[in-house]
Amino acid sequence: MSKKSKNAAPASIAQNKKAYHDYFIEERFEAGLVLEGWEVKSLREGKIQLKEAYVLLKDGEAFLFGCHISPLLSASTHIHPDAIRTRKLLLHAEEISRLIGDVERKGYTLMPLSLYWKKGRAKLEIGLARGKKDYDKRAVEKERDWEREKARIVRH
């Protein structure tokens, strides 16, 4: 039997690479998810898509919209799964009040960045994000190409 080390990286379920392309991520938060049983089983199979997902704050609570969790074929017959239902996020009250202030006053957006397992529970990393313009995206791409070229030159 092998034990996992305490400092091991969390087991990733899904990444939202589009968020990093379209937004500057200013700050990150970890949130729990309120899930149903069939959703947890689907997450263990990796049947989730964060690409079109976003986070909204309503009535002092945070909700995840547009996240698609595909139901398994072996789901129970008495459950009618809704793949894109709205899921509640679990955050501390002071985090939510701070996020409400940043989103409403400063014009930030809340984007889901990644979903992972932590101590047997599904956690969602959300980012306080500011939108990129087209010229920002081109500059980032140009810088990435230059870094790749430098590494190539150094190797030879």
Side-chain angles (χ1 to χ4, degrees):
M1 284 189 153
S2 64
K3 287 188 174 182
K4 291 183 182 176
S5 69
K6 291 183 179 180
N7 296 332
S12 179
I13 301 169
Q15 299 285 328
N16 187 357
K17 293 179 182 173
K18 188 175 184 230
Y20 292 102
H21 182 262
D22 293 340
Y23 296 92
F24 290 113
I25 308 301
E26 304 285 324
E27 201 170 345
R28 299 164 194 271
F29 296 91
E30 182 180 77
L33 279 158
V34 177
L35 298 171
E36 295 177 358
W38 67 270
E39 292 173 325
V40 175
K41 290 179 181 180
S42 292
L43 288 183
R44 294 206 185 278
E45 296 291 320
K47 298 188 178 286
I48 181 168
Q49 188 172 18
L50 289 174
K51 195 175 193 178
E52 303 293 322
Y54 57 98
V55 177
L56 280 182
L57 301 167
K58 286 195 312 191
D59 302 326
E61 294 179 328
F63 295 96
L64 179 65
F65 287 87
C67 174
H68 189 278
I69 299 178
S70 301
L72 297 175
L73 296 174
S74 61
S76 179
T77 56
H78 66 278
I79 294 174
H80 302 289
D82 181 12
I84 54 171
R85 76 176 183 90
T86 302
R87 294 165 182 89
K88 186 176 177 182
L89 297 179
L90 304 172
L91 288 159
H92 292 284
E94 59 269 7
E95 288 178 331
I96 291 177
S97 63
R98 183 158 165 252
L99 289 173
I100 288 172
D102 287 344
V103 169
E104 288 180 356
R105 282 185 229 105
K106 297 180 183 174
Y108 284 107
T109 305
L110 289 173
M111 294 298 299
L113 302 176
S114 65
L115 190 67
Y116 54 91
W117 296 110
K118 184 174 180 184
K119 296 183 182 175
R121 306 215 189 283
K123 300 290 183 177
L124 180 71
E125 183 180 36
I126 57 176
L128 197 58
R130 189 171 36 91
K132 283 185 184 177
K133 304 283 188 226
D134 284 339
Y135 56 84
D136 290 330
K137 292 177 189 177
R138 284 191 296 269
V140 168
E141 194 172 316
K142 194 173 183 181
E143 185 177 323
R144 191 179 317 127
D145 289 344
W146 170 238
E147 291 297 325
R148 200 176 301 137
E149 189 63 32
K150 274 199 311 193
R152 215 177 278 140
I153 291 169
V154 169
R155 267 189 306 218
H156 290 83

